[in-house]
Amino acid sequence: MVSITVFAKHAATAAMCLLLCGCTTNELGTKNTHPKSREFFAMDTYMTMKAYGDGAEKALNAAEFRILDLEGELSVTDNDSEISALNNADGEPVTVSDDVAVILRKAREIGNKTGGAMDITLYPIVKEWGFTTGDYHIPSAETLSGLLENVDYSRVDISGNAVTLPADFQVDTGALAKGYASDEAIRLFRENGVDSGIVSLGGNVMALGAKPDGSDWRVSVVDPFAPDTDMCILGIRDKAVITSGNYERYFIGEDGKLYCHIIDSSTGCPAESGLVSVTVIGECGLECDALSTALFVLGYEDAVGYWREYGGFDMILVTDDEKIFYTSGIADSFTNVSDMNAEVIS
Ligand code: FAD
Ligand code: MG
């Protein structure tokens, strides 16, 4: 079947925008309040980074280099990447870098804790729907059930840095790799003496410290029903803010339905959980990225259940009937700028 409308996140603006406030005054008397900034394209998305302080230029160079290096390790479309080596290993073990091992372990952990809502072995199904190839179409039920036989995150064997996939299995870390990249960028900011900065990797935002004037970084989350508009503003410091939404990469099928790029491993079809956007706010970008995707698949009840059981993060859930729910930990820093009703989950 031929799709009639296609939207990809990289062609639109980022899912989240930094409210970049020009820091021309310096209330705290910091030496250098003029940021250095960097924009580049990597991991199929626009990335922007901003750092303050004497080490800013060095920090930005190191972070950009690191992100490009990670892309080389992780890209499924690069035949020389470690992920491609794994996907073509035909059941043999592959020795991977610490980066890949850390990401695969986190994917398995979140897979275990979400009953498989996070499943990186869905890659052949993501491909079949056309989300990585651009050949968007609705696969037949037979095709999906055949492909689902080779989907099961728990069969990714990780022993130290040796990883073995069953033959015919393929993985993609796209659901959580940008979160890891943001952790690494911020680590390199710190290592280079930067204590105030912010990165937005295709809308995956992570802030280091406060703004040089001592105030919070202000990050907006877009309205999933009007992706050119802000839905809410958050004040953050030392936190990641990562969103998964059904508006980021999707197509409208001939049946008029919206098919988004986040797949439910129990059906092999785009998740229809009643959520249209999930934003996770926490200290670890890798974890927030993994959770934003997995909680999207789980839906409202199970996402709240997960948050109650494990905690350690905040979240903003938007339902398909246009309601916003957010956890109590961000109540003081959350400003609703949409027409939707926003309610606190406690
Ligand atoms: P997220 O919600 O964080 O992730 C959704 C993505 O995860 C989906 O697009 C799918 O790939 C995968 N996924 C879907 N459902 C699940 C699930 N239940 N469990 C686990 N994973 C799931 N895109 C291109 O089109 N071309 C490229 O060349 C390309 N190169 C990339 C290289 C790297 C290193 C990375 C990290 C990404 C690249 N991408 C590329 C983008 C990638 O394919 C995803 O579209 C993107 O990472 C989605 O991120 P997100 O934040 O929008 O959504
Ligand atoms: Mg994610």
Side-chain angles (χ1 to χ4, degrees):
M1 235 177 276
V2 181
S3 63
I4 52 173
T5 315
V6 173
F7 294 84
K9 180 178 182 176
H10 66 272
T13 50
M16 246 174 296
C17 322
L18 311 182
L19 298 181
L20 298 174
C21 305
C23 290
T24 49
T25 56
N26 178 7
E27 291 167 22
L28 294 185
T30 318
K31 259 192 278 175
N32 179 358
T33 53
H34 292 290
K36 300 277 185 199
S37 56
R38 186 69 52 89
E39 286 176 27
F40 59 104
F41 191 80
M43 302 185 177
D44 198 47
T45 193
Y46 290 103
M47 304 199 162
T48 60
M49 305 191 293
K50 193 170 173 180
Y52 290 86
D54 294 337
E57 193 65 36
K58 244 176 100 187
L60 291 172
N61 288 340
E64 181 179 352
F65 185 82
R66 178 81 172 113
I67 288 169
L68 294 173
D69 201 37
L70 282 172
E71 181 174 21
E73 291 175 3
L74 296 165
S75 173
V76 272
T77 52
D78 177 349
N79 290 335
D80 295 330
S81 75
E82 293 183 27
I83 294 296
S84 290
L86 254 181
N87 287 345
N88 294 310
D90 210 18
E92 294 298 318
V94 172
T95 303
V96 299
S97 60
D98 289 346
D99 296 321
V100 173
V102 165
I103 293 169
L104 294 182
R105 274 204 195 86
K106 179 57 75 176
R108 182 173 62 188
E109 178 202 324
I110 302 297
N112 284 336
K113 286 157 114 179
T114 59
M118 159 64 44
D119 192 330
I120 55 170
T121 64
L122 277 164
Y123 177 53
I125 292 188
V126 173
K127 242 189 321 190
E128 179 61 34
W129 282 91
F131 290 112
T132 54
T133 61
D135 177 22
Y136 296 90
H137 65 280
I138 303 166
S140 69
E142 294 74 39
T143 303
L144 286 179
S145 67
L147 290 172
L148 276 169
E149 283 176 20
N150 294 328
V151 171
D152 181 354
Y153 76 94
S154 69
R155 296 189 60 198
V156 180
D157 186 80
I158 314 165
S159 175
N161 286 45
V163 181
T164 314
L165 292 185
D168 299 328
F169 272 50
Q170 292 195 324
V171 292
D172 175 18
T173 60
L176 69 172
K178 289 202 296 287
Y180 182 73
S182 64
D183 290 333
E184 284 299 287
I186 294 297
R187 180 180 67 77
L188 288 163
F189 277 19
R190 280 205 181 93
E191 265 184 36
N192 285 282
V194 168
D195 56 14
S196 171
I198 194 156
V199 298
S200 174
L201 313 184
N204 283 19
V205 174
M206 191 158 187
L208 168 62
K211 284 188 347 199
D213 66 2
S215 65
D216 287 347
W217 293 100
R218 300 180 70 225
V219 175
S220 70
V221 179
V222 304
D223 183 338
F225 299 102
D228 290 335
T229 318
D230 294 338
M231 176 182 77
C232 64
I233 314 286
L234 287 173
I236 56 157
R237 49 183 79 192
D238 289 320
K239 288 266 164 72
V241 180
I242 296 184
T243 299
S244 287
N246 73 345
Y247 56 89
E248 288 174 338
R249 199 180 272 242
Y250 66 92
F251 69 96
I252 307 290
E254 276 186 345
D255 55 4
K257 264 179 73 175
L258 182 152
Y259 294 95
C260 79
H261 67 138
I262 301 173
I263 306 291
D264 184 337
S265 59
S266 64
T267 61
C269 293
E272 291 185 85
S273 64
L275 294 177
V276 292
S277 161
V278 174
T279 300
V280 177
I281 303 108
E283 281 167 17
C284 172
L286 175 61
E287 174 133 342
C288 291
D289 199 1
L291 282 177
S292 70
T293 310
L295 300 184
F296 185 98
V297 175
L298 286 183
Y300 178 86
E301 292 296 337
D302 288 345
V304 172
Y306 184 98
W307 174 72
R308 291 218 167 96
E309 183 172 357
Y310 296 105
F313 66 96
D314 280 290
M315 63 184 180
I316 305 167
L317 308 177
V318 186
T319 55
D320 55 10
D321 57 354
E322 303 193 24
K323 291 188 184 124
I324 307 170
F325 298 90
Y326 60 102
T327 49
S328 44
I330 51 168
D332 290 344
S333 60
F334 175 95
T335 309
N336 181 12
V337 295
S338 76
D339 293 335
M340 287 183 271
N341 190 45
E343 209 176 285
V344 179
I345 309 165
S346 50

